[in-house]
Amino acid sequence: AKLMYDEITTKGNGVIEKEDLQKYEDNPLLLLKHIENAYKELFFKKDNKPVYNGEQIINKRVMLRFMQRLIKMDKAHTPYIYIGGEKRVEFPYSFKSINGKDIKIKIGGNIDRIDAKNKTLTIIDYKTGRDKLQDKKSTLSEIFAHEGDSAGYRFQALLYSVAVIEQLNDGHDYSNHKDFNWIEKVKQACIEKVVPELIYIIRKDNAMHEDFVVDINDKPIENAADLKEDFLSRLESVLQDIFNNEKSFTPTDKKERCHYCEYKGICGR
């Protein structure tokens, strides 16, 4: 997706129009070209004549379907400004441990995609998991209690949104910073609101944009800044637990969560 959007924006002013996406929807070979270029860069070290194994051929077809679904969804949101994809965001955070020790860390991550429209910045996180309808709305308390199958998704999207707000207001000039120069582009867009959004593309029948990342009185977030202080306060409690050497680590009772965990070997799952 990033390669496609980068190609579109290099030929224009960054505004994505319906016609820009229609071209790719009408010609799947254009999408396949970007998928193959991504494979070359990630797996074949830019080899011009890569040899795909059976699994990679299947994955290419799956990715093509994902891209086609994404384009159909994105067309409905045009026009909008594409700020960028796979953008790094981080901010310094200081807090006291349970024992009163001063701790300084950096919090952040890589954002899948950032769009701007009507003075609103949308922080987009792509998800290939299957969101359950009964889990469609989550309060901030439920997210931090890790209640619901998609609580982690929602936490991540909101964390990135808060991180962007922090970095936009830290007073630094990022014009010459290779990782954060996109921040200056956002400043020029006169952004008034920052909103997290999840995009699910796993299945044709439930592919969707979801702005209902956090439920506030049965309404989606209108501006992540309204939740920033509450979010950081809850996050600090989590960090204090993580840095508490006297608190034992206890694996989750829900073993299905361990399936894709990178650290499951540590606890023998």
Side-chain angles (χ1 to χ4, degrees), residues 27-60:
N27 190 350
L29 290 178
L30 293 176
L31 294 176
L32 194 59
K33 177 193 72 172
H34 289 308
I35 293 170
E36 290 179 342
N37 285 338
Y39 257 101
K40 288 177 185 179
E41 185 173 339
L42 294 172
F43 301 108
F44 298 109
K45 297 182 179 179
K46 299 184 179 181
D47 184 353
N48 288 325
K49 295 182 179 180
V51 178
Y52 296 92
N53 61 35
E55 181 181 0
Q56 290 168 335
I57 292 173
I58 292 172
N59 285 338
K60 280 172 55 180

Coordinates of all heavy atoms in Angstrom, one line a residue, residues 27-60:
N27 N -6.6 -1.9 -13.1 CA -5.5 -2.6 -13.6 C -4.7 -3.3 -12.5 O -3.8 -2.7 -11.9 CB -4.6 -1.6 -14.3 CG -3.5 -2.4 -15.1 OD1 -3.3 -3.6 -14.9 ND2 -2.7 -1.6 -15.9
P28 N -5.1 -4.5 -12.1 CA -4.5 -5.3 -11.0 C -3.0 -5.5 -11.2 O -2.2 -5.7 -10.3 CB -5.2 -6.6 -11.1 CG -6.5 -6.4 -11.7 CD -6.2 -5.3 -12.7
L29 N -2.5 -5.4 -12.5 CA -1.1 -5.6 -12.8 C -0.2 -4.5 -12.1 O 0.9 -4.7 -11.7 CB -0.8 -5.6 -14.3 CG -1.3 -6.9 -15.0 CD1 -1.0 -6.8 -16.5 CD2 -0.7 -8.2 -14.4
L30 N -0.8 -3.3 -12.0 CA -0.1 -2.2 -11.4 C 0.1 -2.5 -9.9 O 1.1 -2.2 -9.3 CB -0.9 -0.9 -11.5 CG -1.0 -0.3 -12.9 CD1 -1.9 0.9 -12.9 CD2 0.3 0.0 -13.5
L31 N -0.9 -3.1 -9.3 CA -0.8 -3.5 -7.9 C 0.2 -4.6 -7.7 O 1.0 -4.6 -6.8 CB -2.2 -3.9 -7.3 CG -3.3 -2.9 -7.2 CD1 -4.6 -3.5 -6.8 CD2 -2.8 -1.8 -6.2
L32 N 0.1 -5.6 -8.6 CA 1.0 -6.7 -8.5 C 2.5 -6.3 -8.7 O 3.4 -6.8 -8.0 CB 0.7 -7.7 -9.7 CG 1.3 -9.1 -9.5 CD1 0.9 -9.8 -8.2 CD2 0.9 -10.0 -10.7
K33 N 2.7 -5.2 -9.5 CA 4.1 -4.7 -9.6 C 4.6 -4.2 -8.3 O 5.8 -4.5 -7.9 CB 4.0 -3.5 -10.6 CG 5.4 -2.8 -10.8 CD 5.3 -1.5 -11.5 CE 4.6 -0.4 -10.7 NZ 4.6 0.9 -11.3
H34 N 3.8 -3.5 -7.5 CA 4.2 -3.0 -6.2 C 4.4 -4.1 -5.2 O 5.3 -4.1 -4.4 CB 3.2 -2.0 -5.6 CG 3.2 -0.7 -6.4 ND1 4.3 0.0 -6.6 CD2 2.2 0.0 -7.0 CE1 4.0 1.1 -7.3 NE2 2.7 1.1 -7.5
I35 N 3.6 -5.1 -5.3 CA 3.7 -6.3 -4.4 C 5.0 -7.0 -4.7 O 5.8 -7.4 -3.8 CB 2.5 -7.3 -4.5 CG1 1.2 -6.6 -4.0 CG2 2.8 -8.6 -3.8 CD1 0.0 -7.4 -4.4
E36 N 5.3 -7.2 -5.9 CA 6.6 -7.8 -6.3 C 7.8 -7.0 -5.9 O 8.8 -7.5 -5.5 CB 6.6 -8.1 -7.8 CG 5.6 -9.2 -8.2 CD 5.5 -9.5 -9.7 OE1 6.0 -8.7 -10.5 OE2 5.0 -10.6 -10.1
N37 N 7.7 -5.7 -6.1 CA 8.8 -4.8 -5.7 C 9.1 -4.9 -4.1 O 10.2 -4.9 -3.7 CB 8.5 -3.4 -6.0 CG 8.7 -3.1 -7.5 OD1 9.4 -3.9 -8.2 ND2 8.0 -2.1 -8.0
A38 N 8.0 -5.0 -3.4 CA 8.1 -5.2 -1.9 C 8.8 -6.5 -1.6 O 9.6 -6.6 -0.7 CB 6.7 -5.1 -1.3
Y39 N 8.4 -7.6 -2.3 CA 9.1 -8.9 -2.1 C 10.5 -8.8 -2.4 O 11.4 -9.3 -1.7 CB 8.4 -9.9 -3.0 CG 7.5 -10.8 -2.3 CD1 6.1 -10.6 -2.3 CD2 7.9 -11.9 -1.5 CE1 5.2 -11.5 -1.7 CE2 7.1 -12.7 -0.8 CZ 5.7 -12.5 -0.9 OH 4.8 -13.3 -0.2
K40 N 10.9 -8.1 -3.6 CA 12.3 -8.0 -3.9 C 13.1 -7.3 -2.9 O 14.2 -7.7 -2.5 CB 12.4 -7.2 -5.3 CG 11.9 -8.0 -6.5 CD 12.0 -7.1 -7.7 CE 11.5 -7.8 -8.9 NZ 11.5 -7.0 -10.1
E41 N 12.5 -6.3 -2.3 CA 13.2 -5.5 -1.3 C 13.4 -6.2 0.0 O 14.4 -6.2 0.7 CB 12.5 -4.1 -1.1 CG 13.2 -3.2 -0.1 CD 12.6 -1.9 0.0 OE1 11.8 -1.5 -1.0 OE2 12.8 -1.1 1.0
L42 N 12.3 -6.9 0.4 CA 12.3 -7.6 1.7 C 12.9 -9.0 1.7 O 13.6 -9.4 2.7 CB 10.9 -7.7 2.3 CG 10.2 -6.4 2.6 CD1 8.7 -6.6 2.9 CD2 10.9 -5.6 3.7
F43 N 12.7 -9.7 0.6 CA 13.1 -11.1 0.7 C 14.2 -11.5 -0.4 O 14.9 -12.5 -0.2 CB 11.9 -12.0 0.4 CG 10.8 -11.8 1.4 CD1 9.7 -11.2 1.1 CD2 11.0 -12.3 2.7 CE1 8.6 -11.0 2.1 CE2 10.0 -12.1 3.7 CZ 8.8 -11.5 3.3
F44 N 14.4 -10.7 -1.4 CA 15.3 -11.1 -2.5 C 16.4 -10.1 -2.7 O 17.1 -10.2 -3.7 CB 14.5 -11.3 -3.8 CG 13.5 -12.4 -3.8 CD1 12.1 -12.0 -3.8 CD2 13.9 -13.7 -3.7 CE1 11.2 -13.0 -3.8 CE2 12.9 -14.7 -3.7 CZ 11.5 -14.4 -3.7
K45 N 16.6 -9.2 -1.7 CA 17.7 -8.2 -1.8 C 17.7 -7.5 -3.1 O 18.8 -7.4 -3.7 CB 19.0 -8.9 -1.5 CG 19.0 -9.5 0.0 CD 20.4 -10.1 0.3 CE 20.4 -10.7 1.7 NZ 21.7 -11.3 2.0
K46 N 16.6 -7.1 -3.6 CA 16.4 -6.4 -4.9 C 16.9 -7.2 -6.1 O 17.2 -6.6 -7.1 CB 17.1 -5.0 -4.8 CG 16.6 -4.2 -3.6 CD 17.2 -2.8 -3.6 CE 16.7 -1.9 -2.5 NZ 17.3 -0.6 -2.4
D47 N 16.9 -8.5 -6.0 CA 17.2 -9.3 -7.2 C 16.1 -9.1 -8.3 O 14.9 -9.2 -8.0 CB 17.2 -10.8 -6.8 CG 17.6 -11.7 -7.9 OD1 17.8 -11.3 -9.0 OD2 17.7 -13.0 -7.6
N48 N 16.6 -8.8 -9.5 CA 15.6 -8.5 -10.6 C 14.9 -9.8 -11.1 O 14.0 -9.7 -11.9 CB 16.4 -7.8 -11.7 CG 16.7 -6.4 -11.4 OD1 16.0 -5.7 -10.6 ND2 17.9 -5.9 -11.8
K49 N 15.5 -10.9 -10.8 CA 14.9 -12.2 -11.3 C 14.6 -13.2 -10.1 O 15.2 -14.2 -10.0 CB 15.7 -12.8 -12.3 CG 15.9 -12.0 -13.6 CD 16.7 -12.7 -14.6 CE 16.9 -11.9 -15.9 NZ 17.7 -12.6 -16.9
P50 N 13.7 -12.8 -9.2 CA 13.5 -13.6 -8.0 C 12.8 -14.9 -8.4 O 12.0 -14.9 -9.3 CB 12.7 -12.7 -7.1 CG 11.9 -11.8 -8.0 CD 12.9 -11.6 -9.1
V51 N 13.0 -16.0 -7.7 CA 12.3 -17.2 -7.9 C 11.4 -17.4 -6.6 O 11.9 -17.6 -5.5 CB 13.3 -18.4 -8.0 CG1 12.5 -19.7 -8.2 CG2 14.2 -18.2 -9.2
Y52 N 10.1 -17.4 -6.8 CA 9.1 -17.5 -5.7 C 8.8 -19.0 -5.5 O 8.6 -19.8 -6.4 CB 7.8 -16.8 -6.1 CG 7.9 -15.3 -6.3 CD1 8.2 -14.8 -7.6 CD2 7.8 -14.4 -5.2 CE1 8.3 -13.4 -7.7 CE2 7.9 -13.1 -5.4 CZ 8.2 -12.5 -6.6 OH 8.3 -11.2 -6.8
N53 N 8.7 -19.3 -4.1 CA 8.3 -20.6 -3.8 C 6.8 -20.7 -3.7 O 6.1 -19.6 -3.9 CB 8.9 -21.1 -2.5 CG 8.5 -20.2 -1.3 OD1 7.4 -19.7 -1.2 ND2 9.4 -20.0 -0.3
G54 N 6.2 -21.8 -3.5 CA 4.7 -22.0 -3.5 C 4.0 -21.1 -2.5 O 3.0 -20.4 -2.8
E55 N 4.6 -21.0 -1.3 CA 3.9 -20.2 -0.3 C 4.0 -18.7 -0.7 O 3.0 -18.0 -0.4 CB 4.7 -20.4 1.1 CG 4.1 -19.6 2.2 CD 4.8 -19.8 3.5 OE1 5.8 -20.5 3.5 OE2 4.4 -19.2 4.5
Q56 N 5.1 -18.2 -1.2 CA 5.2 -16.8 -1.6 C 4.2 -16.5 -2.8 O 3.6 -15.4 -2.8 CB 6.6 -16.5 -2.0 CG 7.6 -16.5 -0.9 CD 9.0 -16.5 -1.3 OE1 9.4 -16.9 -2.4 NE2 9.9 -16.0 -0.4
I57 N 4.0 -17.4 -3.7 CA 3.0 -17.2 -4.8 C 1.6 -17.1 -4.2 O 0.9 -16.2 -4.6 CB 3.1 -18.4 -5.8 CG1 4.4 -18.4 -6.5 CG2 1.9 -18.3 -6.8 CD1 4.7 -19.6 -7.4
I58 N 1.3 -17.9 -3.3 CA -0.1 -17.8 -2.6 C -0.2 -16.5 -1.9 O -1.2 -15.8 -2.0 CB -0.3 -19.0 -1.7 CG1 -0.4 -20.3 -2.5 CG2 -1.5 -18.8 -0.8 CD1 -0.4 -21.5 -1.6
N59 N 0.9 -16.1 -1.1 CA 0.8 -14.9 -0.4 C 0.7 -13.7 -1.3 O 0.0 -12.7 -0.9 CB 2.1 -14.8 0.5 CG 2.0 -15.7 1.7 OD1 0.9 -16.1 2.1 ND2 3.2 -16.0 2.3
K60 N 1.3 -13.7 -2.5 CA 1.2 -12.6 -3.4 C -0.3 -12.4 -3.8 O -0.8 -11.3 -3.9 CB 2.0 -12.9 -4.6 CG 3.5 -12.6 -4.5 CD 4.3 -13.0 -5.7 CE 3.8 -12.5 -7.0 NZ 4.6 -13.0 -8.1

